[in-house]
């Protein structure tokens, strides 16, 4: 019985292969973008985990200090009290091959690390790690770069180390990072004595962190991955609109078949089970195709994402994509769950289908139209729920608000379109115009889902492009302020830097030192910069708020300037006191913007920094040229000091590089928003083709009254464009609201900086033109079909009327 | 008796009992008997056929088909009845538009698990549908479509054929041809027929006539 019924149900798809293709494609598209994002996230997280596993024994608890450093005395006292610990010094080291993550361990006490273990096998290099000269273990590329610049320690290669990481012994790390015995953390070793004095009683300010807690790349990049996930989810939701539309349409078209099967003795339960099975098989087919497409999409996007992660967060990310069970299963799960969600309404209608109800496609349409008000009420409730989620704050609250706003407005769309078309119909005078608006209103129920998908994708594109555009404008202005020097030079050593300074000053240029170091602060890395007291800083530095005489107090070593994200993260304001290092205390004199930097940053006077870190290399300087300075300056310097090209960076080059990293950051976001728009265009095509059967009985009488097929086809095309225009009108305010939430809620929560909002009418116009092109393209296929339709088909409408 | 209907009451939602469609209807139908059910539009002919076919529930009374009391059957049980002794032909043909004539003819028999290919082949020939097996319903005339619908019902060799104005959509000539074929085949196979019709001519050609009026049969 079931086999015969199944064959009868499936015969529908055999006769409508295009509809089947649309359904599976909708599912595949929905799953593809979601899977692509999950594959990218999974790959990145796996790279972080690999890096952590090789450089951090995460299964062991760690001791950190609230102030950042653990004094060597604290370690000694803990050891005397019975604690079994292994000290670690780590930080960003400006090596001859660029800035790298330096990890210094005590090879005698530290638990085994994959990277160190590799060195021990066969070659017995561990004693070298302890030698006076020291050994730097680096991944292959970095090791080669370090070897080419002669330094004190010996260089060794380990393929196990993540990119940009150097492993060494704690003494070498202490020397290279100028820590003077200040430890970053203490690894709590297994086999501690049963009774140990409490940590805080031995040394106040220390904290025991449970195994697995980390301030590694996972924490820094969490917001980036959350953004990607949100985008993947949005694309998935848009794809589900297609699935919902095609499943509902198929259920409607087969309503007669369902009744016939029931009349021939197929129990309701069997029919529902068969439809559920059919839906699940399609979900697997569409989901499987989607996973494959997602894998290919992720492969295309991976280099961009890796570059972003490396450029923006210094986080390691692989360049090749592996097939992983987590995202494959998650993709299939989403496809199955999403299909059931999208098909639940249709299944419910079949379950409730009275076997004797008169068939009527229009009844379905009327019911849908009647539900516009209920949908709008639900939309309002969703928007209010989203707004309520915003109140407690937090990134999740921000995204919940966004979700509520988008869903709420989408649900209000059918009612808005209904009212707009009714208004237009009232103003129409010619009979054809009146028919046009009345017909358009009648088509709304069938098209509303696709139009909701279009609204969501348009609003997202507007929101994201406004956010990215506003960010870019602000970032460019900020770069102009922040990178005011004409040339940035890195000398070979301190002596050469001094020679260069004298040479330049004799030629009228101002030469300002650039010195920085890094220190942990409350478990997160903090960059500490020292700046000279110079008019250029006072005039150009992008300060957001500042106390009076702020620069004077910074120059006198009494105050600090702090970055916006650091201030936000630790709830710091101008006028409060800050202790960035043990036994230091400064008044916060001001807050400045520091876009694109996930780490906290503070600025001290250069004299104060030199007092705290006397051995910091003084090889980098910023040069402000004057009229007397020879031009081109880098050419003259190269000649005078034989400096390599890489040692000098022009301001313009640095800005270009910074903007390139910035643009790359939003590359994937833009790509995803355009793909979402493409999915929405496809949803319109699906709906229009799905309506084809119902259109003929509506158009045939008009044709019989003397309206040509060509005119009818043009009116059909116009119908799609009119609906796209109305949807675009609503998408604009929604997109701007979305941009506002991204700039004022999501960005401060995720990255720590707030941005001003700019308007880009030209960009919106381009987007609307693109949307209209997509809608025209989608409408063109059925319109051409209508134009070419033989008269006999239209006559057939009258012949089949009963 | 193949079918007995006793004191059958049926009203639709919002309908007071005194205006119920069926008000104590009584009926009995012997095996192989062909009975015409006549009455004005809205008198309840279709309702009575639907109730006997287990497509809808009734308020009071009892219907027994092939020894099974319908009030004791749940939905799957009533569905099984339609895969067993009962087959229905509707005025709207209700063919599956996505299946060919051949597939439509075999559909009910396959659902019932009683597909007899030689019988279906014979039916195809008797109904004049040879050469149309690969066509889809939309490619057939109304008369041809109804012949397929009748053939589909008879393919299960039902004990009872319920026909709800099966030729209501056809012209007189086509109607006569379809009725002649359907009733002839039913007679040959011993199938009892309960046929709702407005046509005096058709009603006159059957064994017996029942008139439905005021919710009761006479």
């Amino acid at each position: 019985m079931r086999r015969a019924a199944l064959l009868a149900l499936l015969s529908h798809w055999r006769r409508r292969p295009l509809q089947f293709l649309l359904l599976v494609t909708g599912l595949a598209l929905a799953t593809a973008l979601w899977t692509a994002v999950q594959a990218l996230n999974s790959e990145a997280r796996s790279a972080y985990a690999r890096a952590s596993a090789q450089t951090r024994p995460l299964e062991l608890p760690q001791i950190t200090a609230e102030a950042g450093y653990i004094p060597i005395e604290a370690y000694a006292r803990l050891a005397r009290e019975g604690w079994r610990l292994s000290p670690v010094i780590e930080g960003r080291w400006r090596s001859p091959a660029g800035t790298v993550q330096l990890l210094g361990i005590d090879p005698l006490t530290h638990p085994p690390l994959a990277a160190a273990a590799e060195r021990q096998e066969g070659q017995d290099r561990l004693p070298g790690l302890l030698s006076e000269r020291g050994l730097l273990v680096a991944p292959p590329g970095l090791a080669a770069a370090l070897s080419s610049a002669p330094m004190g320690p010996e260089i060794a290669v380990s393929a196990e180390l993540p990119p940009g990481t150097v492993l060494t012994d704690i003494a070498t790390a202490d020397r290279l990072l100028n820590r003077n015995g200040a430890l970053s953390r203490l690894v709590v070793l297994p086999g501690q004595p049963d009774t140990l004095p409490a940590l805080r009683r031995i040394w106040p300010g220390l904290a025991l962190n449970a195994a697995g807690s980390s301030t590694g790349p996972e924490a820094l990049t969490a917001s980036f991955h959350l953004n990607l996930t949100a985008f993947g989810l949005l694309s998935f939701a848009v794809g589900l609109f297609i699935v919902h539309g095609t499943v509902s349409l198929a259920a409607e078209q087969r309503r007669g078949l369902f009744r016939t099967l029931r009349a021939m003795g197929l129990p309701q339960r069997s029919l529902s089970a068969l439809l559920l099975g059919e839906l699940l098989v399609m979900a697997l087919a569409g989901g499987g195709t989607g996973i494959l497409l997602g894998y290919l999409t992720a492969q295309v996007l991976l280099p961009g994402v890796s570059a972003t992660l490396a450029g923006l967060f210094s986080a390691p990310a692989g360049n090749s994509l592996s097939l992983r069970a987590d995202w494959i299963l998650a993709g299939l799960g989403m496809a199955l769950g999403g299909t059931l969600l999208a098909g639940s309404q249709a299944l419910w209608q079949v379950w409730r289908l009275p076997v004797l109800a008169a068939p009527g496609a229009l009844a379905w349409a009327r019911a849908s139209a009647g539900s516009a008000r209920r949908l709008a009420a639900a939309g309002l409730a969703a928007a209010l729920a989203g707004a309520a989620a915003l109140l407690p704050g937090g990134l999740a609250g921000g995204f919940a608000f966004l979700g509520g706003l988008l869903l709420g407005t989408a649900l209000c769309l059918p009612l808005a379109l209904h009212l707009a078309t009714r208004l237009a119909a009232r103003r129409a005078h010619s009979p054809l115009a009146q028919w046009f608006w009345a017909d358009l209103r009648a088509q709304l129920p069938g098209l509303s889902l696709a139009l909701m998908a279009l609204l969501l994708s348009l609003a997202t594109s507007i929101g994201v492009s406004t956010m990215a555009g506003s960010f870019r404008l602000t970032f460019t202005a900020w770069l102009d302020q922040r990178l005011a020097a004409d040339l940035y030079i890195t000398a070979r050593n301190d002596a050469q830097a001094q020679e260069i300074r004298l040479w330049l000053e004799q030629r009228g240029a101002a030469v300002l030192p650039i010195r920085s170091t890094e220190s942990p602060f409350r478990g997160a890395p903090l960059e500490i910069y020292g700046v000279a007291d110079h008019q250029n800083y006072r005039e150009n530095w992008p300060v957001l708020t500042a106390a009076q005489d702020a620069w004077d107090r910074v120059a006198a070593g009494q105050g600090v300037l702090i970055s916006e994200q650091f201030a936000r993260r630790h709830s710091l304001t101008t006028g409060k006191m800050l202790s960035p290092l043990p036994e230091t205390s400064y008044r916060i004199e001001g807050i400045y913007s520091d876009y694109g930097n996930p780490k906290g940053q503070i600025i001290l006077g250069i004299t104060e920094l030199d007092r705290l870190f006397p051995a910091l290399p003084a090889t980098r300087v910023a040069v402000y040229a004057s009229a007397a300075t020879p031009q081109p300056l880098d050419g003259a310097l190269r000649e005078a000091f034989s400096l390599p090209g890489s040692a000098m960076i022009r301001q313009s080059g640095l800005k270009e590089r910074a903007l390139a990293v910035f643009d790359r950051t939003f590359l994937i976001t833009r790509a995803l928003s355009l793909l979402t728009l493409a999915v929405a265009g496809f949803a319109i095509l699906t709906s229009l083709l799905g309506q084809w059967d119902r259109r003929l009985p509506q158009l045939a009488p008009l044709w019989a009254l003397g309206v040509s097929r060509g005119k009818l086809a043009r009116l059909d095309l116009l119908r799609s464009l009119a609906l796209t225009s109305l949807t675009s009108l609503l998408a604009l305010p929604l997109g701007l609201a979305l941009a506002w939430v991204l700039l004022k809620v999501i960005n401060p929560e995720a990255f720590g900086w707030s941005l001003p909002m700019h308007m880009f009418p030209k960009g919106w116009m381009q987007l609307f033109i693109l949307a209209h092109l997509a809608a025209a393209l989608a409408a063109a296929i059925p319109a051409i079909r209508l134009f070419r339709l033989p008269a006999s088909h239209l006559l057939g409408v009258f012949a089949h009327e009963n | 008796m193949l079918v007995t209907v006793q004191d059958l009451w049926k009203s639709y939602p919002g309908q007071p009992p005194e205006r119920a469609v069926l008000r104590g209807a009584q009926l009995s139908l012997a095996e192989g008997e062909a009975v015409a059910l006549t009455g004005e539009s809205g008198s309840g002919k279709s309702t009575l056929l639907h109730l006997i076919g287990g497509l809808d529930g009734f308020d009071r009374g009892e219907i027994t088909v092939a020894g099974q009391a319908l009030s004791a059957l749940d939905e799957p049980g009533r569905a099984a009845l339609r895969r067993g002794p009962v087959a229905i032909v509707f005025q709207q043909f209700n063919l599956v538009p996505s299946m060919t004539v051949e597939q439509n003819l075999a559909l009910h028999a396959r659902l019932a698990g009683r597909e007899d290919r030689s019988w279906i082949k014979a039916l195809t020939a008797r109904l004049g549908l040879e050469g149309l097996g690969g066509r889809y319903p939309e490619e057939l005339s109304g008369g041809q479509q109804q012949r397929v619908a009748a053939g589909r019902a008879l393919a299960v060799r039902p004990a009872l054929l319920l026909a709800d104005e099966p030729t209501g959509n056809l012209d007189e000539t086509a109607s006569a041809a379809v009725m002649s074929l359907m009733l002839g085949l039913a007679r040959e196979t011993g199938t009892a027929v309960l046929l709702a019709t407005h046509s005096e001519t058709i009603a006159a050609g059957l064994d017996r006539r029942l008139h439905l009026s005021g919710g009761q049969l006479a």
Side-chain angles (χ1 to χ4, degrees):
Chain A
M1 171 182 74
R2 289 197 174 185
R3 189 169 174 272
L6 184 65
L7 287 174
L9 289 172
L10 293 182
S11 68
H12 172 82
W13 301 113
R14 211 172 44 240
R15 288 283 283 166
R16 295 168 191 268
L18 183 64
Q19 199 180 339
F20 178 77
L21 194 70
L22 292 178
L23 174 61
V24 174
T25 311
L27 253 169
L29 285 176
T31 316
L33 292 182
W34 167 261
T35 304
V37 163
Q38 290 313 308
L40 290 168
N41 281 349
S42 171
E43 194 59 47
R45 287 198 187 107
S46 156
Y48 307 154
R50 269 203 312 274
S52 292
Q54 284 147 12
T55 57
R56 266 171 179 249
L58 283 177
E59 71 280 6
L60 296 175
Q62 319 243 341
I63 293 173
T64 53
E66 284 169 13
Y69 285 127
I70 302 172
I72 191 87
E73 296 79 17
Y75 167 53
R77 196 178 298 172
L78 284 168
R80 275 201 302 277
E81 295 283 351
W83 283 83
R84 295 191 61 243
L85 305 164
S86 182
V88 175
I89 288 181
E90 61 186 337
R92 301 294 288 170
W93 171 49
R94 206 175 295 280
S95 78
T99 305
V100 297
Q101 182 69 19
L102 188 66
L103 175 70
I105 61 166
D106 174 7
L108 296 177
T109 58
H110 199 277
L113 290 173
E118 188 187 289
R119 299 273 25 99
Q120 291 172 54
E121 276 171 22
Q123 297 177 49
D124 194 23
R125 301 293 290 272
L126 199 61
L129 206 68
L130 286 170
S131 72
E132 196 177 322
R133 196 178 159 205
L135 176 72
L136 297 179
V137 185
L142 182 57
L146 288 171
S147 301
S148 65
M151 298 180 303
E154 198 185 337
I155 310 296
V157 185
S158 168
E160 293 291 321
L161 276 170
T165 305
V166 174
L167 177 70
T168 188
D169 71 289
I170 194 160
T172 309
D174 183 69
R175 183 160 46 86
L176 294 174
L177 295 173
N178 299 294
R179 288 292 175 83
N180 298 320
L183 306 172
S184 302
R185 56 191 164 91
L186 297 168
V187 179
V188 180
L189 299 170
Q192 297 288 331
D194 292 338
T195 52
L196 278 172
L199 208 57
R200 284 181 179 273
R201 273 179 47 205
I202 302 170
W203 197 279
L206 295 182
L208 184 65
N209 304 298
S213 61
S214 162
T215 56
E218 299 91 332
L220 290 175
T221 56
S223 49
F224 176 79
H225 292 298
L226 186 61
N227 277 338
L228 282 190
T229 303
F231 241 104
L233 208 55
L234 179 75
S235 307
F236 183 74
V238 169
L240 284 193
F241 278 111
I242 302 179
V243 179
H244 182 278
T246 43
V247 168
S248 301
L249 180 70
E252 176 59 30
Q253 287 168 334
R254 292 192 290 181
R255 194 173 280 219
L257 168 63
F258 300 157
R259 288 209 184 92
T260 304
L261 288 173
R262 293 274 308 277
M264 287 193 288
L266 183 71
Q268 190 179 41
R269 226 175 295 166
S270 303
L271 177 63
S272 299
L274 284 172
L275 286 172
L276 183 66
E278 177 194 74
L279 209 56
L280 291 177
V281 169
M282 284 179 183
L284 286 175
T289 315
I291 286 170
L292 191 68
L293 281 174
Y295 177 72
L296 296 173
T297 311
Q299 264 192 332
V300 173
L301 296 174
L302 185 64
V305 171
S306 296
T308 301
L309 288 168
L312 199 59
F313 303 100
S314 303
N319 276 316
S320 63
L321 199 65
S322 320
L323 287 165
R324 288 177 205 285
D326 58 347
W327 59 259
I328 292 176
L329 292 176
L332 276 181
M334 284 296 277
L336 287 171
T339 308
L340 285 181
L341 187 72
S344 56
Q345 192 192 354
L347 281 175
W348 177 247
Q349 281 176 348
V350 169
W351 179 252
R352 300 282 308 269
L353 179 79
V355 68
L356 289 171
L362 287 175
W364 173 72
R366 271 199 298 274
S368 301
S371 67
R373 277 191 174 77
R374 284 195 298 279
L375 273 182
L380 203 63
L384 286 175
L390 192 61
L391 293 177
L395 196 57
F399 276 114
F401 176 58
L402 274 188
L405 184 70
L406 288 172
L407 180 69
T409 316
L411 291 176
C412 288
L413 181 71
L415 184 64
L417 290 176
H418 185 78
L419 295 175
T421 49
R422 201 166 68 176
L423 192 71
R426 274 190 199 157
R427 299 189 166 212
H429 295 300
S430 77
L432 204 58
Q434 284 172 350
W435 172 84
F436 175 81
W437 289 110
D439 175 67
L440 196 145
R441 199 160 70 246
Q443 302 309 315
L444 280 179
L447 283 170
S448 59
L449 275 170
L451 293 170
M452 280 186 206
L454 179 69
L455 174 82
L456 288 181
S457 62
L458 274 176
T460 309
S461 289
I462 292 169
V464 168
S465 63
T466 304
M467 187 268 282
S470 298
F471 198 173
R472 200 177 196 282
L473 278 183
T474 312
F475 187 70
T476 312
W478 173 80
L479 276 180
D480 289 341
Q481 290 176 303
R482 187 85 183 244
L483 301 176
D486 298 293
L487 195 66
Y488 295 86
I489 303 171
T490 305
R492 284 194 192 88
N493 48 48
D494 291 5
Q496 191 189 41
Q498 182 66 7
E499 283 173 35
I500 292 170
R501 190 176 67 82
L502 286 171
W503 186 89
L504 283 166
E505 282 176 352
Q506 282 163 9
R507 284 155 182 82
V511 182
L512 303 180
I514 302 173
R515 280 207 276 289
S516 68
T517 187
E518 198 176 285
S519 159
F521 182 84
R522 294 182 192 167
L526 172 66
E527 294 173 348
I528 305 173
Y529 273 79
V531 298
D533 184 14
H534 195 273
Q535 203 56 28
N536 277 314
Y537 286 123
R538 290 173 181 254
E539 287 171 2
N540 294 319
W541 200 254
V543 173
L544 298 170
T545 59
Q548 227 178 359
D549 305 325
W551 286 103
D552 291 341
R553 290 178 60 82
V554 169
Q558 295 162 340
V560 288
L561 294 170
I562 65 173
S563 71
E564 186 188 5
Q565 45 270 53
F566 182 67
R568 210 178 281 273
R569 202 172 299 148
H570 299 290
S571 306
L572 298 171
T573 51
T574 303
K576 276 191 175 177
M577 297 304 289
L578 176 71
S579 300
L581 300 161
E583 294 162 27
T584 60
S585 182
Y586 305 100
R587 201 171 87 111
I588 298 169
E589 297 296 334
I591 297 170
Y592 60 91
S593 51
D594 184 27
Y595 303 120
N597 187 356
K599 294 176 188 170
Q601 192 182 77
I602 64 168
I603 288 177
L604 292 171
I606 189 87
T607 322
E608 183 65 5
L609 185 76
D610 285 344
R611 187 183 70 77
L612 294 168
F613 300 96
L616 280 179
T619 52
R620 292 195 306 145
V621 291
V623 183
Y624 294 81
S626 72
T629 314
Q631 293 295 337
L633 190 55
D634 48 349
L637 274 166
R638 194 178 296 121
E639 215 166 274
F641 295 95
S642 309
L643 282 173
S646 59
M648 290 174 291
I649 303 171
R650 285 186 190 189
Q651 180 209 74
S652 56
L654 205 55
K655 280 182 185 167
E656 271 170 27
R657 217 181 291 175
L659 279 174
V661 169
F662 178 90
D663 288 339
R664 220 163 35 208
T665 307
F666 287 101
L667 197 67
I668 181 163
T669 315
R670 286 211 182 94
L672 281 175
S673 69
L674 278 179
L675 282 174
T676 310
L677 187 64
V679 173
F682 191 72
I684 295 179
L685 174 68
T686 313
S687 301
L688 291 176
L689 288 178
Q691 281 196 330
W692 176 250
D693 286 348
R694 285 191 215 135
R695 288 300 285 154
L696 280 190
Q698 291 153 1
L699 296 174
L702 216 68
W703 169 74
L705 292 174
V707 183
S708 69
R709 275 170 296 174
K711 189 152 195 169
L712 285 173
R714 284 197 296 279
L715 283 172
D716 247 28
L717 200 64
L718 198 64
R719 172 184 65 144
S720 296
L721 293 176
L723 285 173
T724 304
S725 297
L726 289 171
T727 307
S728 302
L729 280 179
L730 192 62
L732 182 60
L734 179 63
L736 292 179
L738 180 68
W740 185 86
V741 178
L742 285 172
L743 289 166
K744 302 294 178 190
V745 180
I746 302 290
N747 260 294
E749 289 289 348
F751 303 109
W753 55 72
S754 160
L755 296 158
M757 189 163 147
H758 297 274
M759 300 289 166
F760 303 92
K762 204 174 149 190
W764 305 337
M765 285 313 294
Q766 284 171 348
L767 190 66
F768 289 158
I769 290 170
L770 198 66
H772 281 78
L773 276 176
L777 201 68
I781 297 169
I784 292 169
R785 213 164 142 186
L786 178 63
F787 182 65
R788 291 183 177 167
L789 195 71
S792 58
H793 277 67
L794 284 162
L795 282 171
V797 169
F798 304 113
H800 287 137
E801 263 186 352
N802 295 310
Chain B
M1 280 294 151
L2 179 67
V3 180
T4 56
V5 174
Q6 292 172 314
D7 189 25
L8 193 68
W9 287 72
K10 170 71 182 174
S11 59
Y12 289 105
Q15 218 169 29
E18 64 274 14
R19 299 195 62 188
V21 184
L22 298 176
R23 283 168 269 171
Q26 307 271 0
L27 162 74
S28 56
L29 189 69
E31 285 170 14
E33 192 180 9
V35 175
L37 188 60
T38 58
E40 290 175 6
S41 293
S43 61
K45 302 188 293 295
S46 296
T47 302
L48 182 60
L49 292 186
H50 294 159
L51 295 181
I52 295 171
L55 293 170
D56 204 356
F58 43 87
D59 305 333
R60 260 164 58 192
E62 186 59 278
I63 300 172
T64 311
V65 178
Q68 295 186 74
L70 263 56
S71 62
L73 295 177
D74 56 6
E75 196 275 329
R78 290 202 296 268
L81 191 76
R82 297 193 294 274
R83 296 196 306 276
V86 179
I88 309 171
V89 179
F90 294 95
Q91 182 181 359
Q92 301 294 344
F93 320 141
N94 286 357
L95 298 179
V96 181
S98 51
M99 296 176 90
T100 61
V101 167
E102 195 178 353
Q103 289 167 332
N104 265 294
L105 275 169
L107 180 61
H108 198 178
R110 281 180 183 159
L111 277 172
R114 299 203 303 269
E115 187 184 5
D116 181 344
R117 289 183 185 213
S118 58
W119 170 232
I120 291 171
K121 199 176 170 189
L123 271 176
T124 308
R126 288 289 302 277
L127 291 164
L129 296 170
E130 278 172 321
L132 301 176
R135 292 203 190 169
Y136 286 92
E138 63 185 17
E139 296 164 344
L140 303 181
S141 69
Q144 286 171 326
Q145 287 190 53
Q146 193 56 296
R147 274 185 272 157
V148 177
R152 184 177 69 185
L154 291 167
V156 283
R157 296 180 194 271
L160 171 66
L161 179 67
L162 299 169
D164 189 2
E165 299 190 36
T167 56
N169 276 335
L170 305 179
D171 61 52
E172 218 168 298
T173 318
S175 169
V178 170
M179 285 311 300
S180 159
L181 281 169
M182 192 170 76
L183 293 173
L185 280 164
R187 217 165 270 137
E188 283 173 32
T189 53
T191 301
V193 177
L194 183 59
L195 185 146
T197 182
H198 284 291
S199 165
E200 284 295 324
T201 320
I202 293 172
L206 270 64
D207 301 338
R208 188 152 61 99
R209 179 201 289 216
L210 290 170
H211 188 74
L212 187 58
S213 176
Q216 294 191 327
L217 285 161

